[in-house]
Amino acid sequence: MRPTNLLLKPLHRRARTPRAASRLALVATLAGLPLAATTAQQAFYADTEASFEEPVEVVPLAAEFADVVEPIEGEIDPLAPAHAVDLDSFEPPIEQDAVLRDLGTGVASYYGRRFHGRLTANGERFDMGALTAAHKTLPFGSLVRVTNPRTGKSVTVRINDRGPFVRGRHIDLSRAAAERIGVISRGHANVKMELIAS
């Protein structure tokens, strides 16, 4: 008896499903017995009186898009598959600049650890690490770009609270937002505010 049959005789009897037969065939192939894979599969199908079907032609997925992609121009990498697409031929969508409405200048202060976890005016819990702010009149959810002219740094904050209730101050930043533009050391700063319109 051939060595291939000696190895597979005990194995193919264990194959009770097509998946098991395929696994046995794979094991035999990896063991260096390419003929054994066919033997194992045929043994299973013979035992179950199943018939072999004609092989199905596998069409690369990229073939479906052959009419919408541009072929690669110039030298082609010899290791690249035939259906490869030149990614340099795609242009990303152009991002439109945000529309800004000038809110003027004012004094920004900040609030942090003492208020961390308390409810804000819109019902959220205040998070001093989030980029949020309090304003007296702007709708909740408004996005405001705050710029500190002294440092040249800007931060975009979301309005989720009311305040500040100190005369002469116009916006109360979270601690994280204040750190971004350099307000922490002085406690307050003159800033420029711009509403980001959608």
Side-chain angles (χ1 to χ4, degrees):
M1 186 176 285
R2 291 170 56 187
T4 299
N5 291 337
L6 282 174
L7 285 171
L8 284 177
K9 190 169 183 181
L11 290 176
H12 82 267
R13 288 179 182 168
R14 299 178 193 173
R16 299 288 181 239
T17 65
R19 173 182 262 179
S22 297
R23 285 183 179 172
L24 288 175
L26 177 62
V27 169
T29 303
L30 293 175
L33 304 170
L35 294 176
T38 305
T39 306
Q41 289 175 334
Q42 288 177 347
F44 169 78
Y45 285 110
D47 290 344
T48 58
E49 299 180 356
S51 61
F52 287 94
E53 296 181 0
E54 290 295 323
V56 178
E57 182 183 356
V58 178
V59 180
L61 182 62
E64 299 177 16
F65 305 101
D67 57 340
V68 294
V69 294
E70 299 177 9
I72 296 176
E73 296 179 0
E75 294 184 13
I76 299 177
D77 184 350
L79 300 177
H83 58 274
V85 177
D86 184 8
L87 294 179
D88 292 333
S89 65
F90 292 99
E91 297 204 11
I94 300 172
E95 295 183 6
Q96 296 181 349
D97 292 336
V99 179
L100 302 176
R101 196 179 94 200
D102 188 12
L103 297 177
T105 59
V107 177
S109 54
Y110 77 94
Y111 58 128
R113 193 174 310 280
R114 193 170 62 139
F115 297 93
H116 186 70
R118 295 189 186 182
L119 286 179
T120 61
N122 76 341
E124 296 178 12
R125 294 278 177 190
F126 173 66
D127 179 1
M128 67 179 185
L131 299 179
T132 57
H135 193 274
K136 295 174 186 173
T137 57
L138 287 175
F140 293 136
S142 298
L143 296 178
V144 179
R145 180 180 295 173
V146 182
T147 304
N148 185 348
R150 191 175 59 84
T151 61
K153 296 180 179 179
S154 297
V155 66
T156 300
V157 293
R158 179 175 57 87
I159 303 300
N160 71 339
D161 204 359
R162 289 292 175 232
F165 300 111
V166 176
R167 180 175 293 185
R169 296 189 182 177
H170 300 87
I171 191 167
D172 239 351
L173 305 173
S174 65
R175 183 178 179 86
E179 286 177 349
R180 292 272 183 103
I181 62 172
V183 175
I184 297 295
S185 59
R186 297 181 62 188
H188 64 277
N190 290 315
V191 296
K192 178 181 179 182
M193 296 172 287
E194 296 166 295
L195 179 65
I196 301 177
S198 55

